[in-house]
């Protein structure tokens, strides 16, 4: 029997800060919400007509929430046993999964992991909402506008735990090449601006000298939607920081606006990256109920310097203005993620990495007696869709001319260290009162109290 490809990535975030959708006959992946991307890494803004067409494709491919799914819930509960049974059923029948399974019953966040020893199960609980398709193709909750959790990201998170452990976490960055840095420095050596001359006319030549930027990924399958989310969020963060796209949040100007007319270092350049940001994981005394809390994502910065060969090293120092911008993005993250759902997608991916790592690291599957082989990919019941990840992108960078030299803002990244979040839990006696009894209908999800 030929295994069906479960198009849980049918609604897949593509690589440039917007949603990409593939599978269920959705056609080319070059067209994504707001952006057109080719396999060679070239990127351009999608036209209004292209965005409209993409959103319609998504609407045609998914089912609208009905019944209880059409109502928001403060605490919806997912049974991992029931979810795996649903996946096995789809495998055996040769059918694609329904929308409610792909969107994990509309879950917005997972706040609790509950060990259900009586039923040899693990339960995931948190708020949920009905879903809708935005005009740019993103699938979000109707109440808060936050991106909905995805099954394919959960599966990828489980399958990435050991890879991430061996890699020091899940890492992503978009970096200039050493050769590009050298070419740029040689280009700038010959630049002499006359008093009052606008340096903007040099930027085309500077980008050409800089050349393509590398996409570097580790700790997660590079052909997964999860990986594309990391790259997309990194890409969009850099574009906002460098003023290459308009910030959608009034309280978050670009770094270039902050740095205008300020002293710029000629030997170092700021780097920003997004990292995990959680409170210590809490558990009850018996280790039956675990709570995950915190914003999930923060922005950090550090100055980089590079040698004559273009090789970069971290300085351990922070540029005051770059730190200010990082703090502003962290403070504005919730609003930013509503306006640009790719950042909420990033937090969702981080949340699911924390959940999968917590279950594995604390051996909650052994404590409950559940076999998670379906989600972990130890059998062939779930075959995720695969997406080509370009290895390079056309240069996305800005240049600031200051009184001491040029600053090139081009580096960024994402660092998901789920092990640090889950390894030192604290005890919270109040968690013993959290209950999520199984639903009488034996569904794989239900609304709890």
């Amino acid at each position: 029997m030929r295994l069906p490809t479960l198009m849980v990535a049918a609604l897949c975030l593509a690589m440039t800060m917007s949603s990409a959708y593939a599978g269920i006959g959705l056609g080319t992946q070059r067209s994504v919400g707001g952006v057109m991307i080719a396999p060679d890494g070239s990127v351009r803004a999608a036209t209004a007509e292209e965005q409209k067409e993409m959103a319609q494709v998504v609407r045609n491919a998914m089912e609208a929430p009905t019944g209880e799914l059409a109502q928001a819930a403060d605490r919806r509960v997912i049974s991992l046993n029931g979810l795996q049974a649903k996946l096995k059923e789809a495998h055996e029948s040769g059918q694609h999964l329904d929308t409610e399974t792909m969107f994990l019953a509309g879950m917005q966040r997972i706040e609790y992991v509950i060990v259900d020893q009586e039923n040899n199960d693990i339960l995931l609980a948190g708020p949920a909402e009905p879903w809708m398709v935005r005009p740019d193709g993103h699938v979000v909750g109707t109440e808060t506008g936050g991106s909905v959790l995805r099954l394919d990201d959960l599966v990828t998170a489980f399958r990435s735990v050991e890879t991430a452990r061996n890699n020091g976490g899940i890492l992503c960055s978009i970096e200039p090449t050493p050769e590009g840095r050298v070419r740029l420095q040689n280009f700038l050596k010959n630049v002499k601006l006359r008093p009052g001359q606008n340096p903007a006319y040099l930027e085309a030549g500077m980008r050409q000298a800089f050349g393509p930027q590398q996409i570097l990924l580790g700790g997660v399958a590079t052909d997964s939607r999860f990986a594309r989310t990391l790259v997309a969020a990194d890409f969009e963060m850099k574009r906002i920081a460098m003023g290459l796209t308009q910030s959608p949040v009034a309280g978050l100007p670009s770094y270039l606006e902050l740095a205008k007319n300020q002293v710029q270092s000629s030997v170092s350049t700021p780097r920003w990256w997004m990292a995990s940001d959680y409170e210590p994981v809490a558990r009850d005394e018996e280790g039956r109920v675990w709570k995950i809390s915190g914003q999930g994502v923060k922005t950090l910065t550090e100055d980089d310097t590079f040698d004559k060969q273009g090789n970069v090293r971290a300085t351990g120092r922070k540029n005051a203005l770059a730190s200010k911008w990082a703090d502003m993005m962290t403070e504005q993250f919730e609003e930013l993620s509503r306006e640009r759902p790719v950042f909420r997608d990033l937090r969702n991916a981080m949340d699911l990495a924390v959940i999968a790592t917590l279950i594995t690291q604390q051996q909650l599957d052994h404590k409950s007696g559940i076999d998670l082989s379906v989600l972990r990919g130890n059998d062939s019941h779930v075959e995720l869709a695969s997406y080509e990840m370009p290895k390079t992108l056309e240069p996305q960078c800005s240049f600031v001319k200051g009184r001491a030299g040029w600053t090139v803002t081009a580096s960024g990244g994402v660092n998901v260290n789920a092990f640090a979040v889950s390894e030192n839990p604290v005890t919270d006696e109040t968690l013993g009162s959290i209950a999520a009894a199984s639903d009488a209908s034996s569904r794989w999800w239900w609304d709890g109290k």
Side-chain angles (χ1 to χ4, degrees), residues 5-201:
T5 297
L6 301 184
M7 292 306 177
V8 292
L11 307 135
C12 158
L13 184 76
M15 77 134 292
T16 58
M17 65 274 188
S18 297
S19 308
Y21 300 88
I24 318 182
L26 294 186
T28 178
Q29 296 175 55
R30 288 191 61 196
S31 178
V32 298
V35 173
M36 297 293 289
I37 180 167
D40 64 2
S42 60
V43 179
R44 69 170 175 82
T47 66
E49 185 61 29
E50 287 166 342
Q51 290 189 48
K52 181 179 178 181
E53 290 176 1
M54 192 65 238
Q56 190 58 51
V57 167
V58 177
R59 292 189 189 97
N60 292 341
M62 57 184 286
E63 302 126 15
T66 59
E68 291 178 74
L69 289 173
Q71 304 297 321
D74 292 334
R75 186 177 298 166
R76 187 156 290 165
V77 183
I78 289 176
S79 158
L80 292 189
N81 252 342
L83 178 60
Q84 291 192 128
K86 181 78 173 182
L87 299 180
K88 289 180 181 179
E89 179 186 351
H91 163 70
E92 292 167 359
S93 65
Q95 297 179 352
H96 293 307
L97 291 177
D98 53 28
T99 304
E100 75 175 58
T101 309
M102 291 191 289
F103 290 135
L104 293 176
M107 295 284 283
Q108 283 283 308
R109 250 196 137 172
I110 296 172
E111 297 176 337
Y112 300 98
V113 178
I114 302 170
V115 176
D116 183 1
Q117 291 178 314
E118 292 183 5
N119 298 293
N120 301 121
D121 202 356
I122 291 178
L123 309 178
L124 309 180
E129 300 173 15
W131 54 84
M132 65 178 185
V133 182
R134 286 179 21 145
D136 60 6
H138 272 98
V139 180
V140 299
T142 58
E143 300 274 326
T144 63
S147 296
V148 183
L149 291 175
R150 310 291 183 93
L151 173 62
D152 54 344
D153 288 341
L154 177 64
V155 173
T156 301
F158 270 111
R159 294 180 178 182
S160 301
V161 172
E162 295 307 322
T163 305
R165 188 195 306 275
N166 297 330
N167 188 69
I170 297 174
L171 306 172
C172 163
S173 64
I174 303 174
E175 303 284 345
T177 64
E179 296 79 10
R181 292 188 181 95
V182 171
R183 286 195 301 268
L184 178 61
Q185 288 304 304
N186 290 336
F187 178 90
L188 292 176
K189 287 178 182 178
N190 298 318
V191 170
K192 293 184 179 180
L193 293 175
R194 297 186 298 274
Q197 187 176 13
N198 189 339
Y201 83 97

Side-chain angles (χ1 to χ4, degrees), residues 308-328:
K308 293 180 179 179
Q309 288 72 45
N311 299 307
V312 172
R313 65 175 179 83
T315 64
R317 298 188 300 271
K318 297 181 181 180
N319 175 300
L321 286 176
S323 293
K324 180 178 180 180
W325 191 87
D327 291 343
M328 293 172 72

